[in-house]
Amino acid sequence: MSWAQAILLARGASRGWGGICSTALTGAPFSQVPPQAPRGLRCSAAAHNPDSSLVPHPPEPPRRPVKALAVHEELFRPALDGARNKANFVRAVQNFTEYNVHKRGHVDFIYLALRKMREYGVERDLSVYNLLLDIFPKEVFRPRNIFHSIFLHYPRQQECGIAVLEQMENHGVMPNKETEFLLLQIFGRKSYPMLKLVRMKLWFTRFKNINPFPVPRDLPQDPVDLASLALRHMEPDLSARVTTYQMPLLKDSPNAMDPTETHIVGIQSPEQQSALARHDPARPIFVEGPFSLWLRDKCVYYHILRADLLPPEEREVEEIPEEWNLYYPMQLDLAYGRSSWDDYEFNIDEVEEGPVFAICVAGAHDQATLAKWIQGLQETNPALARIPVVFRLSGSSGELLPSSSELEEPPPPPPEGQEEEEDSQQRQQQGQS
Amino acid sequence: MSGCGLFLCSVAARFCRAPAAFTVIRRPLLTSPPSRAFAKELFLGKIRKKEAFPFPEVSRDELNEINQFLGPVEKFFTEEVDSRKIDQEGKIPDETLEKLKSLGLFGMQVPEEYGGLGLSNTMYARLAEVIGLDASIAVTLAAHQSIGLKGIILAGSKEQKARYLPRLASGEHVAAFCLTEPASGSDAASIRTRATLSADKSHYVLNGSKVWVTNGGLANVFTVFAKTEVVDSDGSVKDKITAFIVERDFGGVTNGKAEDKMGIRGSNTCEVHFENTRVPVENVLGEVGGGFKVAVNILNSGRFSMGSMVAGMLKKLIEMTAEYACTRKQFNRNLSEFGLIQEKFALMAQKAYVMESMAYLTAAMLDAPGFPDCSIEAAMVKVFSSEGAWTCVSEALQILGGLGYMRDYPYERLLRDSRILLIFEGTNEILRMYIALTGLQHAGRILTARVKELKRGNVTTIMETVGQRLRDSLGRTVDLGLTGKLGVVHPSLADGAHKLEENVYYFGRSVETLLLRFGKTIVEEQLVLKRVANVLINLYGMTAVLSRASRSIRLGLRAHDHEVLLANIFCSEAYHQNLFILSQLDKHSPENLDDMVKKVSQQILEKRAYICTHPLDRTS
């Protein structure tokens, strides 16, 4: 395969590309195009779009810097309206292909575009990925004989193609028929990008729903909504109720920065409620936290209200009352018991933990805010008024504090004389942090 | 009205002789006191022939009398009761109720000295066949006397009986049974209604509400269950249930509006509220704190009559659908000529025959002297008859096609009415638990005793056990003595009898294995218990049918060959069902699908939804 042939092919492909691109952009389903007839397609497409591919001398960019990369950077300069959206991204790509019929430096451009995708918010858009793949000249990099396919044919280009697919994978974008068709045209069936695609098609379907606790793709922006989502995510009981104990103050209100006026959202299930009602008031319960929960790229900090496990000698043995069921006996008076031969279960060592009575997500992690939560809980749990509550707040919420400390106030030193459990709390803090 | 009164007197007089006649017949049937009930012995793989064979009879005199009494009742129900109107208006007309009272139907089981008819259980079952023609009336009457006033008969003192029963028997007062609460169905511990003893200890103050009280709007006398504080023998104060007889006139008794129900719309069901109702101490039913036993006894005693009630309804239904099938023509042939239609009639007849046999066998067992405990049998009758009613009515609707669905015809009403049978008086699921667990408890006790003997080294027990195992492993044929020279089953039913014997024997073995495998934890194995109950119901049905058909052949009753056919069909079907269930019971849960069934339901209940993705969904 001579270089001349390759260049010729590339030139032909570049002409054909206009047609393919326009078809893709107008939204016609690509799979309808017969994959074996790229040339025929090119001809017809060219007939339809004479302006894009048949322009004899495309206008050169006004100034031509020495370094190609700079040119590409130029393409991604903010547009006149300044918006960074899909339309502008597509325009940038189109500009590259229009002004660069020889596709010089297209690999660099694709790498650059991949980096820019997040800025333009198109990193999850399949059609944009297809558009990027479309920049590659067609038929040029296809292996022509067995040696081409044994040895990496056009390695840089293939790597670039893999990079595009890789980024798709990272953002969970499933390739479609059009992607496959493009790769087929660009690299041929026996190429590494194609292998990657086949693997993606195999495993994506299997991994897509592997998470039994799916998180919605677009997380709510409102902290209260996000908090209730996080709470629902943690609480297995579907009858649990989410309560907003305090709404955050509006941004423009005078004391918006006052940390005591942030949101407090809590969840509690009826079972937890009754467990709290049964709790022995002589034993204190603890507010612990903050613990972190990651929902996609957002971190939410939560606190729990929990008690220590009862020592075994104080645990009430749940006995079956004699007069319980009106219809049938609840226990049999038998001497038979199951022996170890009848035990088919695996031997599982379970660590028992104390009961958790409620969970909350608050904007601030100081004791004043959490005390408000406890106050709010008292409305539905009157028993809470009699139980001493100990705040065991750890010093920091971990290393992964977001840089903007708007939500995450650095935990203040324990306020003076707020609760009677002051000293014990300090002790706990030391122990925790 | 005076005429009615006279009639009542004459009926009462005629029935005065009944008990004497009963004791005369029964004595040869039951020479020994019934220490063990029939069904419990089945769990040990044994058939107590004396209990079930020969099929019980009533004397000729008694039969004549009940037939004489049945005449007017039957006439009244076929001619004067307008079931359609009762269903549409949701109320039994007052004149119908008056007539029922004058017929004495409000006091069928009240002893004669208190002005009731004093019917035996067998007689009551016979009468229930007629009453079952209208479900609303049947339920109203059953709520009145099967549960409403039953407490006074079973646990009431002489004074209480003398005070309440005469007026209840005459229908002047209607009784209701108040047990269910919003938070408490079969769970007695969660009853919230509370009765507190007043300072002068002369009366209790009752507070609380009861729901779904049948006759709640009509009743003047309520049997109410409430929590009271009882001082235990060791001095601790405990909450225990006590039963009270509460009159509406005590004050503070109100009821909500009648519930709008799917079926039995003519019966009155509503909430009843008690607010500071003052109940005199002498109105405590049974002992203070003994209400639980009273409730259990009342509930257990009221069930067997459903069998004959449903059978009566089914007989009528067969008549009506047969009429239709023989006149409706399709493709120039009557519907009755099609095999699929014929099959449904056979099914209906078979179910009716089995439940009738079971009901009367149970009634006779209950009538036997010495308060036999037949609660398992009664529960089996209830389960079988309620499910039979539902399937048969549904099959009848299939025969009728679109006609059965129309409100102009009575069939859809029968369907709606029969649905409640599976639910009330203890849902069938709960009764299955009762049947299985009570039997297993009995079997467990006996088997434990035997295991102890074995451990002690009792030679005869060891020899017996070893011999039994040996014979089992050699694959012997089971012979429990139902057939043969001294057999109680007629030779033409020998096939069915052998099947019953085989089933009973291997059921006994299965029960033993189950007890060994699960021990006490079998209480939690509801799927296993359901199977045990199903086998037992089949076995009891087979016994009843074989016993009855044998009697019919021996006496040469009309159409006994038809009975033989029905008996053989049922025995054969039940035998194969039993074999299947027993093979499932012998397997462990991974093999009999129980594990999978549980897993599926757990996953669904965790999500509280159907969790499969839509068939049209895709991942890419």
Side-chain angles (χ1 to χ4, degrees):
Chain A
M1 185 71 41
S2 67
W3 276 105
Q5 195 182 351
I7 289 161
L8 274 174
L9 272 168
R11 201 167 281 167
S14 75
R15 235 181 272 138
W17 174 82
I20 294 164
C21 178
S22 65
T23 331
L25 286 177
T26 47
F30 219 83
S31 54
Q32 288 175 4
V33 178
Q36 291 308 317
R39 277 158 208 278
L41 175 80
R42 186 183 65 220
C43 295
S44 64
H48 285 304
N49 300 333
D51 55 325
S52 66
S53 55
L54 293 184
V55 174
H57 299 287
E60 293 291 306
R63 51 200 168 77
R64 193 164 190 169
V66 188
K67 281 177 79 180
L69 193 65
V71 180
H72 307 329
E73 281 284 356
E74 189 71 20
L75 288 171
F76 285 106
R77 283 277 149 78
L80 285 177
D81 51 355
R84 296 191 165 212
N85 53 15
K86 187 181 171 185
N88 284 338
F89 189 86
V90 171
R91 191 170 305 135
V93 177
Q94 274 173 339
N95 282 345
F96 171 78
T97 45
E98 267 175 37
Y99 300 133
N100 208 344
V101 277
H102 301 298
K103 305 244 168 129
R104 195 165 295 141
H106 66 267
V107 171
D108 294 326
F109 177 77
I110 290 171
Y111 277 125
L112 177 72
L114 284 178
R115 284 198 301 276
K116 295 277 177 190
M117 278 178 96
R118 270 182 92 91
E119 287 173 30
Y120 283 78
V122 290
E123 74 272 19
R124 291 213 184 96
D125 198 326
L126 176 62
S127 63
V128 173
Y129 284 105
N130 285 341
L131 193 67
L132 283 188
L133 284 178
D134 219 351
I135 298 174
F136 282 110
K138 309 293 174 304
E139 304 289 338
V140 184
F141 310 132
R142 286 180 74 151
R144 303 283 148 187
N145 54 42
I146 190 163
F147 300 105
H148 283 162
S149 30
I150 289 173
F151 301 104
L152 199 54
H153 195 48
Y154 285 104
R156 196 157 170 260
Q157 282 75 6
Q158 286 208 32
E159 266 165 26
C160 180
I162 290 173
V164 174
L165 292 171
E166 180 96 22
Q167 189 158 332
M168 286 170 78
E169 185 181 319
N170 290 340
H171 290 292
V173 181
M174 179 79 185
N176 65 356
K177 283 262 189 250
E178 187 184 341
T179 322
E180 188 179 354
F181 177 61
L182 282 168
L183 286 177
L184 211 60
Q185 273 190 315
I186 300 163
F187 297 111
R189 187 159 302 279
K190 296 205 168 158
S191 60
Y192 285 92
M194 201 62 199
L195 188 63
K196 172 97 186 158
L197 178 101
V198 170
R199 284 174 178 164
M200 279 166 83
K201 277 176 73 178
L202 177 73
W203 292 111
F204 268 33
T205 50
R206 280 150 179 77
F207 287 148
K208 193 178 173 192
N209 293 313
I210 203 152
N211 185 359
F213 311 105
V215 182
R217 216 186 72 177
D218 299 312
L219 291 170
Q221 292 301 315
D222 181 35
V224 176
D225 290 347
L226 186 69
S228 51
L229 178 80
L231 290 169
R232 280 259 171 254
H233 201 68
M234 286 186 280
E235 175 62 55
D237 191 347
L238 292 179
S239 19
R241 243 196 20 239
V242 173
T243 320
T244 309
Y245 295 101
Q246 183 174 288
M247 289 298 280
L249 281 183
L250 294 174
K251 281 274 180 320
D252 49 355
S253 65
N255 47 356
M257 297 318 282
D258 185 0
T260 58
E261 294 298 312
T262 55
H263 62 280
I264 305 172
V265 188
I267 195 166
Q268 197 181 30
S269 69
E271 251 172 56
Q272 289 171 325
Q273 219 162 345
S274 58
L276 189 54
R278 281 198 308 270
H279 186 79
D280 176 16
R283 295 181 165 275
I285 55 177
F286 308 101
V287 175
E288 286 185 0
F291 305 109
S292 58
L293 171 77
W294 283 94
L295 296 166
R296 295 203 180 271
D297 53 347
K298 285 189 181 165
C299 187
V300 176
Y301 293 93
Y302 64 94
H303 297 261
I304 58 171
L305 182 68
R306 60 163 279 247
D308 276 337
L309 195 64
L310 280 175
E313 64 272 11
E314 280 181 43
R315 267 178 239 171
E316 281 177 35
V317 182
E318 259 199 39
E319 58 177 27
I320 298 177
E322 207 172 293
E323 301 184 341
W324 198 4
N325 193 322
L326 284 164
Y327 291 93
Y328 61 90
M330 300 288 273
Q331 58 182 354
L332 288 189
D333 170 28
L334 289 179
Y336 288 112
R338 293 187 82 158
S339 66
S340 53
W341 290 97
D342 301 315
D343 192 4
Y344 305 116
E345 301 295 317
F346 288 109
N347 191 14
I348 302 170
D349 276 331
E350 286 183 348
V351 179
E352 283 189 83
E353 287 186 325
V356 173
F357 298 120
I359 316 177
C360 101
V361 172
H365 308 315
D366 57 305
Q367 191 168 331
T369 313
L370 294 169
K372 279 187 183 171
W373 170 48
I374 300 297
Q375 272 173 13
L377 270 178
Q378 277 183 16
E379 283 175 24
T380 44
N381 301 277
L384 199 53
R386 287 177 285 118
I387 307 171
V389 180
V390 181
F391 289 84
R392 294 206 288 206
L393 308 178
S394 61
S396 82
S397 47
E399 296 151 48
L400 292 163
L401 271 174
S403 54
S404 65
S405 61
E406 196 169 305
L407 286 180
E408 317 301 333
E409 285 291 317
E416 297 298 314
Q418 270 205 353
E419 300 271 334
E420 51 179 324
E421 300 87 15
E422 174 72 33
D423 49 349
S424 77
Q425 180 223 344
Q426 275 183 339
R427 247 185 292 122
Q428 299 289 359
Q429 270 204 342
Q430 246 115 66
Q432 285 284 309
S433 51
Chain B
M1 202 53 218
S2 64
C4 292
L6 266 178
F7 175 76
L8 195 66
C9 287
S10 65
V11 169
R14 256 185 275 139
F15 276 92
C16 276
R17 273 168 282 134
F22 260 92
T23 40
V24 170
I25 323 159
R26 283 289 138 59
R27 207 153 279 152
L29 194 71
L30 286 164
T31 44
S32 60
S35 55
R36 293 165 178 178
F38 175 79
K40 283 184 181 171
E41 285 299 293
L42 290 177
F43 277 87
L44 295 169
K46 291 175 189 161
I47 299 177
R48 283 177 70 85
K49 281 174 278 183
K50 274 185 189 165
E51 306 273 345
F53 297 95
F55 199 73
E57 294 183 322
V58 292
S59 71
R60 169 56 63 187
D61 293 347
E62 228 181 330
L63 190 65
N64 288 341
E65 275 167 31
I66 190 72
N67 281 340
Q68 274 174 25
F69 180 61
L70 266 181
V73 178
E74 209 156 11
K75 189 160 170 259
F76 171 67
F77 267 89
T78 45
E79 289 174 11
E80 287 180 48
V81 173
D82 187 353
S83 297
R84 185 160 173 231
K85 194 172 147 216
I86 292 176
D87 182 62
Q88 276 175 350
E89 291 179 1
K91 191 178 181 300
I92 303 171
D94 288 338
E95 54 268 27
T96 310
L97 279 178
E98 283 308 314
K99 190 75 197 289
L100 288 170
K101 287 172 189 173
S102 68
L103 282 169
L105 295 180
F106 273 69
M108 284 185 280
Q109 285 202 292
V110 177
E112 286 148 74
E113 63 254 46
Y114 300 113
L117 295 182
L119 296 183
S120 65
N121 288 305
T122 311
M123 296 294 143
Y124 177 54
R126 180 69 188 92
L127 212 52
E129 268 186 53
V130 183
I131 295 167
L133 294 180
D134 184 279
S136 296
I137 294 177
V139 167
T140 306
L141 289 178
H144 170 72
Q145 50 196 340
S146 278
I147 49 177
L149 59 78
K150 198 67 166 250
I152 303 178
I153 298 180
L154 290 178
S157 64
K158 268 225 166 83
E159 294 77 40
Q160 286 169 345
K161 285 183 183 173
R163 178 149 184 224
Y164 290 106
L165 285 182
R167 274 184 289 177
L168 287 169
S170 67
E172 190 186 335
H173 282 176
V174 177
F177 184 75
C178 305
L179 178 64
T180 310
E181 292 188 17
S184 155
S186 43
D187 177 2
S190 55
I191 286 180
R192 297 272 160 75
T193 305
R194 181 158 282 282
T196 32
L197 194 59
S198 66
D200 57 352
K201 301 202 170 176
S202 67
H203 61 265
Y204 282 92
V205 180
L206 190 66
N207 274 300
S209 2
K210 300 284 185 178
V211 293
W212 302 332
V213 179
T214 313
N215 293 349
L218 314 169
N220 312 80
V221 178
F222 301 88
T223 309
V224 185
F225 294 86
K227 284 256 172 93
T228 46
E229 281 184 355
V230 178
V231 181
D232 244 10
S233 50
D234 57 345
S236 61
V237 178
K238 265 191 178 173
D239 271 353
K240 284 198 150 186
I241 301 165
T242 307
F244 297 93
I245 308 170
V246 181
E247 293 177 39
R248 196 180 277 271
D249 302 336
F250 286 167
V253 183
T254 48
N255 57 274
K257 71 169 180 56
E259 307 275 352
D260 194 9
K261 301 187 292 290
M262 174 187 175
I264 52 166
R265 294 175 57 83
S267 67
N268 176 290
T269 308
C270 59
E271 291 177 18
V272 177
H273 309 281
F274 300 95
E275 201 184 339
N276 292 325
T277 306
R278 291 161 64 91
V279 187
V281 180
E282 54 267 27
N283 271 29
V284 170
L285 200 51
E287 289 170 27
V288 175
F292 186 84
K293 283 202 185 80
V294 175
V296 169
N297 283 339
I298 295 174
L299 290 170
N300 280 344
S301 72
R303 290 192 189 113
F304 78 97
S305 64
M306 192 184 283
S308 61
M309 213 174 259
V310 170
M313 187 267 286
L314 281 186
K315 288 187 213 170
K316 181 93 182 165
L317 184 68
I318 291 175
E319 276 175 31
M320 293 194 291
T321 42
E323 178 75 31
Y324 177 80
C326 293
T327 45
R328 164 115 173 150
K329 280 200 184 271
Q330 293 282 291
F331 314 113
N332 287 333
R333 283 157 86 188
N334 279 333
L335 275 192
S336 57
E337 290 170 49
F338 294 102
L340 283 179
I341 301 292
Q342 288 165 354
E343 181 198 44
K344 295 186 196 307
F345 281 102
L347 177 85
M348 287 198 281
Q350 178 209 328
K351 293 264 181 204
Y353 184 72
V354 178
M355 66 181 76
E356 216 175 38
S357 313
M358 284 167 87
Y360 282 99
L361 182 62
T362 313
M365 285 179 182
L366 282 166
D367 280 333
F371 303 108
D373 176 22
C374 295
S375 49
I376 302 187
E377 283 87 350
M380 289 195 284
V381 172
K382 193 262 170 182
V383 172
F384 186 86
S385 57
S386 56
E387 279 167 16
W390 179 245
T391 39
C392 288
V393 175
S394 165
E395 289 290 317
L397 252 73
Q398 287 305 117
I399 297 170
L400 295 157
L403 196 90
Y405 203 68
M406 299 300 140
R407 288 213 116 149
D408 285 343
Y409 297 90
Y411 307 105
E412 59 88 31
R413 175 168 48 79
L414 288 179
L415 188 83
R416 282 188 285 115
D417 287 347
S418 59
R419 191 61 185 81
I420 189 65
L421 300 177
L422 292 89
I423 299 169
F424 70 2
E425 292 198 29
T427 63
N428 284 3
E429 282 70 23
I430 270 186
L431 287 182
R432 284 202 162 93
M433 293 299 109
Y434 174 74
I435 293 165
L437 285 173
T438 318
L440 286 172
Q441 172 75 75
H442 175 77
R445 252 184 230 134
I446 305 258
L447 293 175
T448 325
R450 215 173 72 197
V451 170
K452 270 184 196 150
E453 294 257 300
L454 284 177
K455 278 185 186 158
R456 218 179 293 137
N458 189 325
V459 182
T460 40
T461 328
I462 293 174
M463 291 303 285
E464 261 177 35
T465 318
V466 172
Q468 196 188 23
R469 290 291 142 92
L470 268 177
R471 267 176 288 156
D472 278 355
S473 57
L474 295 175
R476 63 156 197 172
T477 51
V478 181
D479 182 13
L480 301 178
L482 285 184
T483 52
K485 213 170 186 185
L486 295 168
V488 283
V489 175
H490 193 271
S492 54
L493 295 160
D495 195 30
H498 285 311
K499 284 175 174 159
L500 173 64
E501 284 172 336
E502 191 192 323
N503 272 172
V504 169
Y505 182 77
Y506 286 108
F507 177 59
R509 305 311 311 277
S510 284
V511 164
E512 206 178 326
T513 332
L514 287 177
L515 284 171
L516 281 174
R517 193 195 303 164
F518 293 112
K520 280 181 186 174
T521 54
I522 199 163
V523 182
E524 297 300 317
E525 304 288 330
Q526 297 205 328
L527 296 182
V528 170
L529 293 176
K530 181 198 80 180
R531 294 199 183 99
V532 170
N534 281 346
V535 173
L536 197 73
I537 292 169
N538 277 336
L539 292 180
Y540 190 55
M542 285 162 94
T543 316
V545 158
L546 287 173
S547 170
R548 178 175 168 195
S550 298
R551 171 181 173 264
S552 301
I553 301 170
R554 290 210 175 104
L555 295 184
L557 292 183
R558 202 162 10 87
H560 62 252
D561 50 337
H562 188 72
E563 288 186 35
V564 172
L565 284 176
L566 290 176
N568 277 333
I569 293 176
F570 178 74
C571 284
S572 195
E573 279 182 10
Y575 170 74
H576 286 112
Q577 267 179 31
N578 283 344
L579 283 190
F580 177 64
I581 301 173
L582 287 177
S583 74
Q584 278 185 322
L585 281 179
D586 284 343
K587 286 179 179 155
H588 296 284
S589 51
E591 289 138 52
N592 60 18
L593 302 188
D594 285 2
D595 260 9
M596 284 190 234
V597 169
K598 276 185 189 163
K599 225 178 239 175
V600 165
S601 50
Q602 270 166 12
Q603 287 170 357
I604 290 173
L605 293 172
E606 205 172 286
K607 294 270 189 296
R608 302 189 186 178
Y610 172 74
I611 46 182
C612 300
T613 46
H614 194 272
L616 300 182
D617 271 359
R618 43 188 293 168
T619 45
S620 59

